[in-house]
Every structure is written in structure tokens, then in C-alpha cells.
Amino acid sequence: MHATGGRRRSPRRLLVLVFAVALGTRLGFAFGLYPFLAPRFEELDAYDTIARSLVFEGRWNRELFVERLPAYPAVLALSYEVFGDTDIPWKALQCLLGAWSCALLFSLASRWATAPAAALAAAILCFHPAALLYTPRPMTETFYGFLVLGSFWLLALPGAPAPALGCLWGLQALTKSVAWIHAPAFLGVRRPRAWHVGVSLGVLLVVLPWCVVTYRSFGRPLLFTATSGRALYHGWYVTTHVGWFEGTGDRNREAQIELVRELAQRYGQVALRDWDVARRDRAAWDLALEKIGARKVDALFLALRNLLLTWTLGRLPESTVLYTILHGFVLASAIVGYVRLRRGKAAETEPAGAMAWTVVAYTVLHAVVHPGVRYVLPVLPLALALAAEPWGRLAGRKVPGAFTETVQRRP
């Protein structure tokens, strides 16, 4: 028996409500509260520096482009080019993308969960402290998270064009090197060969121009940034200097200071000044591997511990406790949801498997390289979407969400 017209409209009203609340929350935080918090945080990722050097100095900073991929600096540069030297437009854009991500999460979760359960998942993302914190900062978390969630939303959408999914994946690859970890998730989907060809063409359409530009400038295509050695060193330092509920505090800054000191002590300050970014990163990689190799048993234990710390470590002890409780509940629910979805129809099974793979891959990678909630934030919406399935069952009979109904009505 079909739901009444009012009931069918209710999930759609929830979708609008989710978007409006998420947008209002982000705008309020970004332009109301964050200006008072900003002095506590350093912007170490150089994206804003790259954008400003391109727009206001007309300078192509070769060193920084070896460290950072171009998609996110291009967004910031476009904002400065169009609106001038103000951060309001790109902050507003990130508020919009963050709100859109909450709406996409509601839509994705509604494919297999009740509308209230999908709304709960979206509400967690809407008010998540880390998601809010990175919205007004010139860092990739909001932009990249939107691209990741959008690609899985398309994967779960019947009839979605494969090249569009490939383009989103290509944009991810030009935002963060870790995007290539998605490859097994998409390649493992059982779809016709034409679908896989379409995805591949979409990726090439986005990635190939950057490969050509960097090959001409550097003699090789730059699809992986020269930051892995530094990240591994930072991860080792943070892991050996935190407990279960301490919080990271300024450990990342301390790790960078210690890395510079050790490299200078080993190779000499004068020599380091003559090295390019790639060579310094290789030296950081060697140094980190030496430290890990000297304490192999401890390193194995710490890596296993980091499988949990990656989802719990915040900046403060209070936030670490909050993330421990919240993410523990979400991940436990996501495991149950994944098991149940794997028993369902192929339309639900394939996206669920790809999402679960990506969540696990990010967790394992950052357990080795760099633990912390920030680094798994892009896959938090995927875990929430899986978790919504058992939440809906707890409330009783499953009532399809708005987007599930739309799919069911298709011929």
C-alpha cells in the first residue's frame, strides 16, 4: 500500500530542512564564531599562499606545486580573481558545499533507510565539530569531502552518467593524492565494460591537462605530492607523544619543528637550503623509516592502536572524548548496516561495498601515516550513510525516503 501524498512529501521537506539548517549553522559559525577562534589555528597547508601568489603576484610557485595539487588552490584563486582580496566569497562557497554535503548524505542514506534515520545521519554531519571547524579555513577538507560524497552519491544513483562520476573522481585526484585509494572501490563495482570506460574517460578528461602542464614544467606529471615523508614523520611523532584521550594539541607543529631540527643536524642547514621540496621529503621519509625500523614491535602496536585513534584524536582532550563516543557509535552502526546491505539487492550492495572499502582504506592508511579525525573526515559521511540503515530498523517498519521512492517509481 502506497504512502499518502503528505507522507511522500515529508522526506522532501526534510531534505530542504537539512540543507537550510546546515547552511545556517555553517554561515553562523564561519562569520560569527570562527573569527574569535582563528588566532588559535595556524594555516600550514599553503593553499592560500599558492592562490594569492597566482592572482596578486602573477607568480607560479614551482616548489609549492610540488607539495600541493592544483584543484583547491584554483578555487581560492578564482575567488580572489573575481571578488578581489577578500575571503568572504570562498568561505561562503565552503558553507554552501558543506550544506550540500549534508543534503547529499540525506539523499544517499534515504536509499536504504527511513527518512528520520537519514535525517539523523545528516544532522550528525551538520553539527559535527570538525566539519564545522574546517568550513571557514583555507584547507581542502570541505571541498574534498563534498567531491568524495558526490561521487558515491552518483554511484548509488541508477542511470547516473559514468563520465560524470569519473570527472568527480578526477577532481578528487587533483585535490589530494589519497584519492587514488578509491580506485579499487570503483573498479570492483560489477558494471558493464562501457560504464568502466566512461568512468575512465571522465578521469582522463580532468587529470590529463594537469599532467601535460606539469610534464612541460617539471619533466614529469605531478599526480602525487611530495609530502608523504613529512606525513609519515609527523604521524610517528604524534603517535609516540599522545595517549588514548590526550588530544593532539600542537603536536603537528612540534613535529615539524623536530623534523627540521633533525634534518639540519644530519645534513647541515646550508645543504638543506639548496635542496628542493622532493629531496627534503625523501630525507624525511628515510628518517621516519629509521625510527620505525629501530622500534618495530612498538611500531606495530602503535599502528594497531592508531586504527582506533584515527577516529578519536582531536585537538583537545574534550573533543577526543566526544569523538570516541560519537564515532564509536557511528562505526559500530556502520558495520551492522554494511552487513545488512550486503544481503540486499545489487543496487544497494555495490555502493555499500565501495563505501565500506573506502572507509577501511582511509582508516588503515592514516593509522600508518598520520592518525587524527581530520584525515578521516572525508569518509565520515560514508560511515554515516551505512549507519543509517540499522537506525531506521530500530524505529520500526522501513519507510522509503524521498529518493528511494523516486527510484521505485521508475519503469
Side-chain angles (χ1 to χ4, degrees):
M1 184 175 181
H2 291 294
T4 65
R7 180 171 293 180
R8 283 200 300 269
R9 289 193 297 270
S10 178
R12 298 184 185 278
R13 290 199 296 268
L14 271 176
L15 173 67
V16 175
L17 180 62
V18 164
F19 179 82
V21 171
L23 181 60
T25 302
R26 278 154 176 75
L27 289 172
F29 179 82
F31 297 105
L33 181 58
Y34 183 71
F36 298 98
L37 302 176
R40 302 182 184 182
F41 301 98
E42 292 183 280
E43 310 299 352
L44 299 176
D45 286 2
Y47 295 109
D48 195 55
T49 302
I50 295 172
R52 288 178 174 276
S53 67
L54 286 172
V55 175
F56 301 120
E57 301 174 16
R59 184 164 57 90
W60 170 276
N61 194 317
R62 292 171 59 90
E63 287 284 287
L64 289 179
F65 270 111
V66 174
E67 287 190 272
R68 303 297 172 194
L69 289 165
Y72 186 65
V75 171
L76 297 179
L78 181 62
S79 174
Y80 290 132
E81 183 68 30
V82 174
F83 298 101
D85 191 4
T86 173
D87 60 4
I88 293 177
W90 65 256
K91 285 184 178 180
L93 173 63
Q94 295 199 162
C95 290
L96 182 63
L97 293 179
W100 197 351
S101 294
C102 293
L104 285 177
L105 171 56
F106 177 82
S107 171
L108 180 60
S110 291
R111 300 185 188 285
W112 45 66
T114 64
L120 174 59
I124 292 175
L125 182 62
C126 177
F127 297 104
H128 193 279
L132 287 174
L133 179 61
Y134 285 102
T135 298
R137 302 178 70 186
M139 304 174 81
T140 59
E141 275 65 27
T142 300
F143 178 72
Y144 181 70
F146 170 77
L147 295 176
V148 171
L149 183 55
S151 64
F152 282 93
W153 183 85
L154 277 179
L155 180 64
L157 182 67
L165 193 154
C167 288
L168 278 180
W169 187 12
L171 284 173
Q172 293 170 52
L174 293 185
T175 305
K176 292 178 74 71
S177 298
V178 73
W180 293 101
I181 207 171
H182 299 169
F186 290 112
L187 294 176
V189 173
R190 289 177 292 180
R191 298 285 175 89
R193 180 177 297 178
W195 184 89
H196 288 279
V197 171
V199 172
S200 301
L201 289 176
V203 174
L204 286 175
L205 179 67
V206 175
V207 169
L208 192 58
W210 174 248
C211 291
V212 172
V213 169
T214 51
Y215 182 81
R216 290 179 175 178
S217 299
F218 299 95
R220 58 188 176 91
L222 295 180
L223 288 176
F224 297 92
T225 56
T227 57
S228 57
R230 185 174 62 190
L232 184 63
Y233 183 94
H234 283 201
W236 174 256
Y237 183 93
V238 170
T239 300
T240 55
H241 285 78
V242 298
W244 286 99
F245 300 105
E246 290 182 20
T248 58
D250 290 325
R251 299 296 186 191
N252 284 315
R253 180 173 176 274
E254 295 171 7
Q256 182 60 25
I257 293 173
E258 184 65 14
L259 173 60
V260 172
R261 187 193 67 79
E262 288 203 51
L263 289 178
Q265 186 177 24
R266 173 170 297 193
Y267 300 104
Q269 191 68 43
V270 175
L272 287 177
R273 282 199 294 265
D274 295 331
W275 288 6
D276 60 15
V277 171
R279 187 173 180 183
R280 286 197 295 270
D281 193 67
R282 287 195 297 270
W285 182 269
D286 293 339
L287 187 59
L289 288 180
E290 285 182 18
K291 290 179 175 294
I292 293 171
R295 297 172 57 183
K296 293 179 181 178
V297 176
D298 290 342
L300 178 60
F301 169 77
L302 291 172
L304 293 174
R305 186 185 70 153
N306 284 356
L307 292 173
L308 298 177
L309 289 186
T310 297
W311 283 91
T312 63
L313 275 182
R315 183 179 176 85
L316 302 173
E318 294 81 2
S319 62
T320 298
V321 173
L322 172 64
Y323 293 140
T324 300
I325 297 171
L326 176 61
H327 291 168
F329 172 64
V330 170
L331 291 175
S333 301
I335 293 171
V336 175
Y338 168 70
V339 171
R340 287 178 171 172
L341 288 170
R342 290 291 294 179
R343 299 172 181 170
K345 300 176 181 178
E348 297 177 348
T349 298
E350 290 182 344
M355 291 158 60
W357 160 269
T358 305
V359 172
V360 171
Y362 269 71
T363 302
V364 173
L365 174 66
H366 292 294
V368 175
V369 177
H370 206 317
V373 168
R374 170 191 172 184
Y375 304 102
V376 293
L377 198 58
V379 297
L380 172 63
L382 306 184
L384 285 168
L386 295 172
E389 199 277 347
W391 296 346
R393 292 178 183 270
L394 288 176
R397 184 175 62 88
K398 180 179 177 181
V399 180
F403 294 86
T404 306
E405 289 181 351
T406 301
V407 172
Q408 289 176 340
R409 288 198 298 270
R410 292 184 178 184

